[in-house]
Amino acid sequence: MECISVFDMLKIGVGPSSSHTLGPWRAAERWLQELQEAYDIINVKSVEVNLYGSLSLTGKGHATDLAVMLGLSGEDPVTMNVDNINSIINTIKENDTLLLLGKFPIQFNPKENIIFLKTSLPFHANGIKFTAILMDNTIYEDTFYSIGGGFVVKEDRANAKENIQVFKTFPFPTNSGNVLLEYCKLEKKTISEIVLENELSLRNNDEIDSQLKEIWNTMLECMYIGCHTQGTLPGGLNVRRRAFDIHEKLKGDTPYNSPDEWLQTIRKTEVKFRQILKWVSCFALSVNEVNASLGRVVTAPTNGSAGVIPAVLMYYMVIENHNADFNEIKKFLLVAGEIGSLFKKGATISAAMGGCQAEIGVSSAMAAAALTELMGGTPDQVLIAAEIAMEHHLGLTCDPIGGLVQVPCIERNSMGAIKAINAAELALDTDPANTKVPLDKVINTMWETAKDMNSKYKETSTGGLAVGVFLSDC
């Protein structure tokens, strides 16, 4: 049975896309590591990168070519200073030279050495092949697949629908909502407690807390940056940042000097009823505006849907429970990660495979479930909330204009967050005995919908708004 950690579902990285940016970045890192094991990297003469399918069709808008260059250059998406991205890329372009691992110079012209092919490989829509030619003309090449959420696999590792790597054994392994509920009933534990037991089989509690705090702090900092940055987003659509303007109207006059002080200030602010949805939208928009500008975000479960979970968690802390502390944050992230893993095992979290239902739909389900547990819901009601949220995202297409994770992607995070809150409220008022549609059925239906969906609605920018709205209109 596939065992996916919360930290597989919630990963820190650089925007704008987990499958088109973070995945190719990680693939470049893995390929270089394997290349080093096979040959002396100082003997590499040239490198060529072929992008297939969705990586090719929307790769430029998703900064896939930039991610590949940064990965080959030895930069780490978790730790690098994102303010240095433009200078690194400009240096490569101006000098036609790339420093492999930041040390070994090779001639590299991005326009010639990164090839955007329109064909797709049969295994997955997001294929990427790296080829190195050594000084003695030896060729070393390998192909990777970015399957969503920053996960990268090879074709020879066949397991489940999305080639999930099995490398962990949990005390409570799950592949369905029903199995998860059985554990909760047998152990008399909440979902977050079951998930914590699984995580404790991999690392101690201090490590878990440390990593979850890092994830939360990244989310909080991302919202803070987004709410305090104005102007237009890069990429050519000239999309105006809106989180700044909304935030200015809502924040009041109390001073603050850091993300933590900002959070505490908001929690002390009297929020009028009609402002609640504005705050939620502000939080969601802020994250995805940072994501769209190659900022650092947390995949939740993807970069394109990174705003939903932090927005709903902020809603809980700002509106529902001003006394909430790290214990609530921990429970929220544990539940959210587990629900996301169920969708990954049973369906997909890749928009190139399933459309935007696989990103915003899944993130909304994750957030709804997590909020429901914090609001006192039973394990049954937690899964009901996830089901309700996904049920009303089924069939949602991925049709980014210009291949950019901006329109309609940024607004969809706001809508996904609001739907998650609504789903949680409905679930809390639902008697599980009267549930007609279990979560497992919705996950299966989502996967069937994904398989039936026309490819032009799967992150190819060949259908929907991507062709219905001309770039000149933007």
Side-chain angles (χ1 to χ4, degrees), residues 81-130:
N81 184 345
V82 294
D83 292 334
N84 294 335
I85 289 178
N86 287 336
S87 63
I88 294 171
I89 298 301
N90 289 337
T91 298
I92 295 172
K93 292 180 178 179
E94 291 169 2
N95 300 323
D96 284 345
T97 300
L98 185 147
L99 295 178
L100 286 178
L101 295 175
K103 301 176 182 178
F104 308 103
I106 61 169
Q107 185 174 353
F108 191 91
N109 183 331
K111 293 182 179 179
E112 297 177 359
N113 294 83
I114 300 179
I115 303 170
F116 291 81
L117 301 169
K118 303 303 180 184
T119 56
S120 295
L121 299 176
F123 179 72
H124 193 279
N126 293 332
I128 180 170
K129 183 173 77 172
F130 297 90

Side-chain angles (χ1 to χ4, degrees), residues 267 313 316-317 321-330:
R267 295 175 81 172
L313 182 47
Y316 177 76
M317 300 178 73
N321 184 1
H322 289 187
N323 296 317
D325 56 20
F326 176 70
N327 289 326
E328 282 78 17
I329 294 171
K330 181 177 182 177

Side-chain angles (χ1 to χ4, degrees), residues 274-340:
R274 61 178 306 207
Q275 293 178 327
I276 294 175
L277 295 186
K278 290 184 180 180
W279 271 115
V280 174
S281 293
C282 182
F283 297 142
L285 294 174
S286 65
V287 172
N288 287 84
E289 287 174 355
V290 171
N291 179 64
S293 55
L294 277 77
R296 183 168 286 113
V297 299
V298 177
T299 63
T302 67
N303 283 32
S305 60
V308 176
I309 285 174
V312 175
L313 182 47
M314 280 288 280
Y315 161 82
Y316 177 76
M317 300 178 73
V318 170
I319 305 298
E320 295 290 349
N321 184 1
H322 289 187
N323 296 317
D325 56 20
F326 176 70
N327 289 326
E328 282 78 17
I329 294 171
K330 181 177 182 177
K331 291 177 184 178
F332 189 100
L333 296 178
L334 289 172
V335 174
E338 177 66 14
I339 297 301

Side-chain angles (χ1 to χ4, degrees), residues 393-406:
H393 282 94
L394 287 175
L396 184 61
T397 60
C398 181
D399 48 357
I401 297 174
L404 297 165
V405 191
Q406 297 181 17

Side-chain angles (χ1 to χ4, degrees), residues 161-162 346-348 350-355 357-358 394-396 443-458:
K161 298 181 181 69
E162 285 206 335
T348 179
S350 167
M353 292 292 286
Q357 61 173 355
L394 287 175
L396 184 61
I443 293 175
N444 183 67
T445 300
M446 178 197 153
W447 179 236
E448 293 302 318
T449 303
K451 291 188 290 185
D452 291 339
M453 188 180 289
N454 191 297
S455 62
K456 67 183 180 180
Y457 299 118
K458 296 181 179 181

Side-chain angles (χ1 to χ4, degrees), residues 140-252:
Y140 180 85
E141 64 182 19
D142 210 344
T143 301
F144 298 83
Y145 298 88
S146 179
I147 61 173
F151 288 84
V152 176
V153 298
K154 292 185 180 182
E155 187 172 354
D156 59 3
R157 187 179 294 126
N159 181 57
K161 298 181 181 69
E162 285 206 335
N163 201 280
I164 300 169
Q165 184 180 6
V166 177
F167 59 100
K168 308 178 181 80
T169 301
F170 285 162
F172 302 110
T174 59
N175 61 0
S176 69
N178 283 338
V179 170
L180 179 58
L181 286 180
E182 285 300 315
Y183 288 138
C184 290
K185 292 173 183 177
L186 288 172
E187 300 294 322
K188 294 182 172 55
K189 294 180 182 291
T190 64
I191 289 177
S192 63
E193 289 172 333
I194 291 293
V195 180
L196 180 59
E197 289 297 319
N198 284 339
E199 294 298 329
L200 286 170
S201 70
L202 305 176
R203 51 185 68 84
N204 64 47
N205 194 62
D206 288 342
E207 292 175 313
I208 292 170
D209 286 355
S210 176
Q211 291 187 50
L212 288 176
K213 286 176 182 177
E214 185 179 9
I215 287 170
W216 166 242
N217 288 335
T218 301
M219 289 178 172
L220 181 60
E221 182 179 38
C222 187
M223 286 184 281
Y224 182 84
I225 292 172
C227 285
H228 294 83
T229 305
Q230 55 185 323
T232 58
L233 295 172
L237 291 183
N238 296 317
V239 174
R240 178 180 172 83
R241 291 176 181 264
R242 283 183 287 176
F244 178 88
D245 294 331
I246 298 172
H247 181 255
E248 282 292 300
K249 296 175 182 177
L250 294 172
K251 70 181 182 67

